[in-house]
Amino acid sequence: MKKVLILLSLVIPALTFVSCSDDNDLPDVDFDMTFENATVVDGTLYVVQGQEFKVSTITVTNNETGKPAALTAANYYWDYLYVGTSVQPPYTFEFEVSETMPVGRHILEVEGTLIALDKSPAFALISNDVMVVASADDIPQATGPAKIHAKATVSDTSK
């Protein structure tokens, strides 16, 4: 009997650490970003050297109809360097593209914790190319509003 009790004392705690299959059920979302003083052409954001541009809104859309999803904050990075955080929707943020900013390709990243109803919290990363140009004449013809529809990389926050 003593052996059975010892065995049960080992098995029962081990069962408490077994995870359910939906513990890492990550959100399936899309993001829409709108900009001011910038032009979007074929998914690339164009900005003029020496001017400011602004992320006006970041909207999170849960692909499970009728279920809400949101970012807890938007952390902004320019060429992989942290530049600031916006903690409240619509996650507005202004960038100063200085006169000394090199003309050419750069990268804008937005990351944050993503929450969605009935899903595990997740880490979301939106990454987009930005082309800094010397003048507005160097921007290709835009075909629509300064808006990007992005599918973020979503990963488990516990790793």
Side-chain angles (χ1 to χ4, degrees):
M1 183 67 165
K2 206 179 216 183
K3 290 180 184 179
V4 172
L5 290 176
I6 291 172
L7 183 60
L8 282 176
S9 69
L10 295 174
V11 171
I12 291 173
L15 291 176
T16 62
F17 294 106
V18 176
S19 66
C20 298
S21 63
D22 64 350
D23 279 352
N24 292 319
D25 191 9
L26 300 177
D28 178 21
V29 299
D30 290 326
F31 293 88
D32 287 310
M33 298 175 66
T34 59
F35 303 91
E36 292 177 25
N37 206 23
T39 304
V40 177
V41 179
D42 296 329
T44 298
L45 189 65
Y46 285 82
V47 296
V48 177
Q49 185 181 44
Q51 295 185 358
E52 290 183 355
F53 79 96
K54 179 179 179 179
V55 176
S56 302
T57 62
I58 299 176
T59 305
V60 182
T61 303
N62 193 338
N63 290 323
E64 287 190 47
T65 306
K67 293 188 176 183
L71 284 172
T72 59
N75 299 308
Y76 288 91
Y77 295 83
W78 182 266
D79 289 337
Y80 307 105
L81 298 174
Y82 173 78
V83 293
T85 298
S86 180
V87 296
Q88 189 172 1
Y91 309 108
T92 301
F93 195 83
E94 292 184 23
F95 290 86
E96 174 72 36
V97 180
S98 70
E99 293 286 341
T100 59
M101 176 74 61
V103 169
R105 189 167 306 278
H106 297 270
I107 189 159
L108 168 65
E109 294 177 307
V110 182
E111 61 93 8
T113 301
L114 177 65
I115 54 175
L117 185 63
D118 298 330
K119 299 293 181 179
S120 297
F123 176 81
L125 176 65
I126 306 165
S127 182
N128 209 85
D129 289 333
V130 179
M131 187 64 73
V132 174
V133 295
S135 75
D137 296 336
D138 298 328
I139 299 174
Q141 183 66 35
T143 57
K147 182 177 182 177
I148 294 174
H149 180 76
K151 182 74 172 176
T153 301
V154 177
S155 59
D156 187 352
T157 59
S158 66
K159 293 184 179 169

